Amino acid sequence: EAQVTQNPRYLITVTGKKLTVTCSQNMNHEYMSWYRQDPGLGLRQIYYSMNVEVTDKGDVPEGYKVSRKEKRNFPLILESPSPNQTSLYFCASSSRSSGRNYNEQFFGPGTRLTVL
Amino acid sequence: RKEVEQDPGPFNVPEGATVAFNCTYSNSASQSFFWYRQDCRKEPKLLMSVYSSGNEDGRFTAQLNRASQYISLLIRDSKLSDSATYLCVVSQGTGNQFYFGTGTSLTVIP
């Protein structure tokens, strides 16, 4: 089954404790992105990657890191989480050549992060 | 100024009604346009892309007006299952920078 998976789905942590949220897709998509969703602000793009070893900042990259060492994986790293990073996080993947629509994004199920 | 603006609603409509959502975007260089649907606490899913010529998928019709930087979604014969939040999305730059509106909430009432 074609899908995007994220782990963990739920995480409660404390300020300053480094964490990684994993994202994996099995559709051989070249593009992957991370978003956060906050009430009243909608989804905002944190980082995106156009292919292996190619990443770029989105709208709200501060406090986050990413890496793209393999095509299928795109982990999100919070080196020193703070309470303002409490949010719902989505990973997404897409390809210009797949999906029923040009550049359709497929989203993972989300990771709900709470930083105390 | 936000890249994409939507009326948050909520829109509460009876079954069978026709409802229209609007969205404006600020960057005239925006390349691709989409409507996504998001159910409560779930991931967004593509509803339809929006093409310059307008496009229709069953009960759903999307329109794009590049001159006015305006996107619309029309839902005819609303069903209870249409209740969700509808997200307007535009892409810019290389096509992988995406900007989402905050969403419009729709509830279809029996």
Side-chain angles (χ1 to χ4, degrees), chain B:
Chain B
R1 183 181 174 187
K2 289 183 182 178
E3 294 284 342
V4 179
E5 303 221 38
Q6 289 181 253
D7 179 351
F11 285 69
N12 299 314
V13 303
E15 268 186 293
T18 295
V19 61
F21 303 141
N22 302 317
C23 165
T24 58
Y25 60 95
S26 62
N27 190 333
S28 60
S30 297
Q31 298 176 332
S32 303
F33 309 88
F34 310 88
W35 283 101
Y36 277 74
R37 172 196 167 123
Q38 185 175 28
D39 294 293
C40 186
R41 296 180 178 272
K42 300 282 187 115
E43 72 272 23
K45 293 185 179 177
L46 181 69
L47 179 66
M48 57 197 304
S49 297
V50 187
Y51 304 119
S52 296
S53 54
N55 48 302
E56 189 173 306
D57 183 1
R59 298 181 292 108
F60 299 86
T61 301
Q63 298 276 354
L64 168 64
N65 184 321
R66 283 190 183 268
S68 302
Q69 296 178 203
Y70 168 97
I71 306 161
S72 66
L73 176 68
L74 183 77
I75 305 176
R76 291 181 298 279
D77 188 22
S78 299
K79 311 290 185 194
L80 296 177
S81 58
D82 293 335
S83 298
T85 297
Y86 291 83
L87 307 172
C88 176
V89 185
V90 305
S91 74
Q92 295 177 8
T94 54
N96 205 41
Q97 290 169 269
F98 291 93
Y99 294 91
F100 283 69
T102 52
T104 299
S105 174
L106 171 67
T107 301
V108 180
I109 304 162

Side-chain angles (χ1 to χ4, degrees), chain A residues 32-36 42-49 56-61 90 92 105, chain B residues 90 92 95-100:
Chain A
M32 296 186 75
S33 292
W34 273 104
Y35 296 88
R36 61 177 290 172
L43 276 93
R44 293 177 294 167
Q45 195 170 32
I46 302 170
Y47 269 95
Y48 61 95
S49 169
D56 210 343
K57 295 178 181 179
D59 221 19
V60 287
F90 289 104
Q105 290 193 92
Chain B
V90 305
Q92 295 177 8
N96 205 41
Q97 290 169 269
F98 291 93
Y99 294 91
F100 283 69

Side-chain angles (χ1 to χ4, degrees), chain A:
Chain A
E1 179 190 356
Q3 61 183 346
V4 179
T5 56
Q6 292 179 229
N7 282 292
R9 294 289 313 281
Y10 302 91
L11 179 60
I12 300 175
T13 189
V14 295
T15 298
K17 186 176 181 182
K18 180 179 177 180
L19 66 93
T20 299
V21 184
T22 64
C23 173
S24 184
Q25 49 95 4
N26 62 0
M27 295 170 278
N28 201 36
H29 286 168
E30 59 267 33
Y31 302 137
M32 296 186 75
S33 292
W34 273 104
Y35 296 88
R36 61 177 290 172
Q37 185 172 30
D38 302 288
L41 297 176
L43 276 93
R44 293 177 294 167
Q45 195 170 32
I46 302 170
Y47 269 95
Y48 61 95
S49 169
M50 296 177 69
N51 216 321
V52 175
E53 302 291 4
V54 182
T55 63
D56 210 343
K57 295 178 181 179
D59 221 19
V60 287
E62 295 78 19
Y64 305 94
K65 285 174 58 177
V66 293
S67 69
R68 188 94 182 271
K69 293 185 169 54
E70 305 165 282
K71 196 171 186 179
R72 64 183 291 126
N73 296 322
F74 190 43
L76 179 70
I77 302 155
L78 285 72
E79 295 269 4
S80 184
S82 62
N84 65 12
Q85 292 178 298
T86 293
S87 188
L88 177 60
Y89 291 86
F90 289 104
C91 179
S93 73
S94 64
S95 169
R96 288 180 183 258
S97 58
S98 67
R100 60 188 171 96
N101 288 271
Y102 172 81
N103 216 6
E104 174 181 359
Q105 290 193 92
F106 295 83
F107 284 82
T111 294
R112 189 165 291 279
L113 172 66
T114 301
V115 183
L116 302 174

